[in-house]
Amino acid sequence: MNRILVVEDEKHLADGLRFNLEAEGFAVDVAESGEDALEKLQHKSFDAMVLDIMLPGMDGFEVATRLRRNGNFVPTLMLTARGRPEDVLKGFEAGADDYLAKPFDLAILLARVRGLLRRKKWLEPDPPAGNTFSFDRGVIDFDNLELRVGDRQVPLTKMEADLLKYLVEREGRIVTRKALLEDVWGVHEDTDTRAIDNFIVRLRRHLEKEPSSPQHLLTVRGMGYKFSAQPEK
C-alpha cells in the first residue's frame, strides 16, 4: 500500500484529502506545519507528498528546499492557492515534481498523485538498465538522478534531471526557453524565464569544467540552449 503525506494546516481540507485518498486505497498521514512534515519524513518513509505552500511558520517552498538539500526526493505535489506562473516556477525550483492550484477538482488531484507514484521509478535502487547518457566529461544516470564526473557523484533533483534529459534527447539542436517551460514544466503562460536560466547555471556547475565558459550546455543568444556531448570550441 502506498503511503502519502498530506501537509495542510486547514483542518477541513486536510480531513477531506485524507478521506478521499484513503477511499482510493492509500495510507495517509497528515502534518499541520512544515516543521511537523520534516519531523515525520525523518522517521517514516512516504511514497508521495501533497504539500501546501501557505503554512504557519516554515512555508512549503522551504520544506521542499530543505528536503532536496538533505537528499530526500520524495515525489511532491504542491497544492496551493498561489497559482501564478512565477509561483509555479518557484515551486519547481524548490524541488516540487508537480503543482496544482486551488480550487482543484478531486479527480485531477487523484490523477496527479497517481502520476507521482508512476514516476517514482526514478527513485528505485535497481532501475532498468540503459537509461544513462555518456558525454565527454562523464555519465548522466537519469534513473538514479545522478551525474558522475570523474570521481565525483553529483545528485540531481527530479526537475534538473528532467530538464537535462530533454536537452540531451535533442543533442545538437537548439531548444527554446518556451519549449522547456511548456514541455518540461507544463507552464503554458507568458512568464519570466529566469527560472530556466537559473537551472542552466546550476547544471553548468555540475557538468562543466569551467562553468563560466561552457562547452556542453550552450547558450544560443536570443534563441535558447543546446546540449553538445563533445566540447565545442
Side-chain angles (χ1 to χ4, degrees):
M1 179 183 293
N2 292 120
R3 181 170 292 278
I4 312 296
L5 177 63
V6 172
V7 188
E8 172 59 66
D9 65 313
E10 295 184 41
K11 188 176 187 307
H12 71 282
L13 184 52
D15 288 345
L17 288 171
R18 180 200 289 271
F19 176 84
N20 285 287
L21 287 166
E22 288 180 343
E24 295 294 315
F26 300 116
V28 180
D29 284 20
V30 172
E32 297 180 357
S33 68
E35 292 82 358
D36 186 21
L38 292 176
E39 178 73 16
K40 282 181 164 59
L41 285 157
Q42 186 175 357
H43 296 99
K44 190 180 292 187
S45 177
F46 292 91
D47 298 293
M49 174 169 62
V50 178
L51 174 65
D52 189 25
I53 287 178
M54 303 300 290
L55 297 167
M58 184 188 305
D59 67 18
F61 293 132
E62 181 63 20
V63 172
T65 298
R66 290 196 186 192
L67 285 174
R68 291 352 183 193
R69 187 186 300 143
N70 293 332
N72 187 325
F73 294 96
V74 57
T76 299
L77 168 64
M78 280 191 170
L79 185 65
T80 178
R82 294 170 58 171
R84 298 174 304 171
E86 53 265 39
D87 293 321
V88 176
L89 294 177
K90 186 176 179 181
F92 286 147
E93 240 188 327
D97 299 282
D98 203 351
Y99 201 107
L100 184 60
K102 301 175 184 176
F104 57 87
D105 184 272
L106 177 61
I108 298 298
L109 180 134
L110 293 173
R112 296 288 185 87
V113 169
R114 293 190 186 99
L116 288 182
L117 295 172
R118 283 195 298 270
R119 295 203 301 267
K120 195 170 180 288
K121 65 182 181 181
W122 287 80
L123 304 178
E124 292 172 356
D126 297 305
N131 199 13
T132 62
F133 180 85
S134 298
F135 68 110
D136 179 66
R137 298 200 67 229
V139 177
I140 308 164
D141 185 338
F142 293 107
D143 287 313
N144 285 316
L145 299 180
E146 185 178 79
L147 169 67
R148 296 191 290 271
V149 179
D151 294 332
R152 288 192 305 130
Q153 293 186 341
V154 181
L156 300 172
T157 69
K158 176 69 167 62
M159 291 307 300
E160 287 172 338
D162 280 351
L163 182 62
L164 189 52
K165 187 172 185 179
Y166 189 87
L167 291 166
V168 163
E169 288 174 344
R170 292 155 183 78
E171 183 189 358
R173 292 156 50 190
I174 297 171
V175 177
T176 65
R177 290 176 175 83
K178 183 174 184 289
L180 291 171
L181 283 169
E182 293 185 353
D183 295 344
V184 179
W185 287 343
V187 177
H188 300 284
E189 302 176 52
D190 291 334
T191 188
D192 191 337
T193 60
R194 283 177 297 180
I196 294 285
D197 299 331
N198 290 340
F199 267 77
I200 295 294
V201 167
R202 202 154 64 203
L203 286 170
R204 281 176 175 154
R205 293 195 192 108
H206 301 329
L207 287 167
E208 305 286 355
K209 185 175 182 180
E210 296 291 340
S212 60
S213 301
Q215 295 182 313
H216 298 286
L217 196 48
L218 308 171
T219 300
V220 182
R221 188 175 299 276
M223 299 182 70
Y225 298 100
K226 71 175 180 178
F227 184 88
S228 176
Q230 298 298 321
E232 291 205 1
K233 305 299 183 183

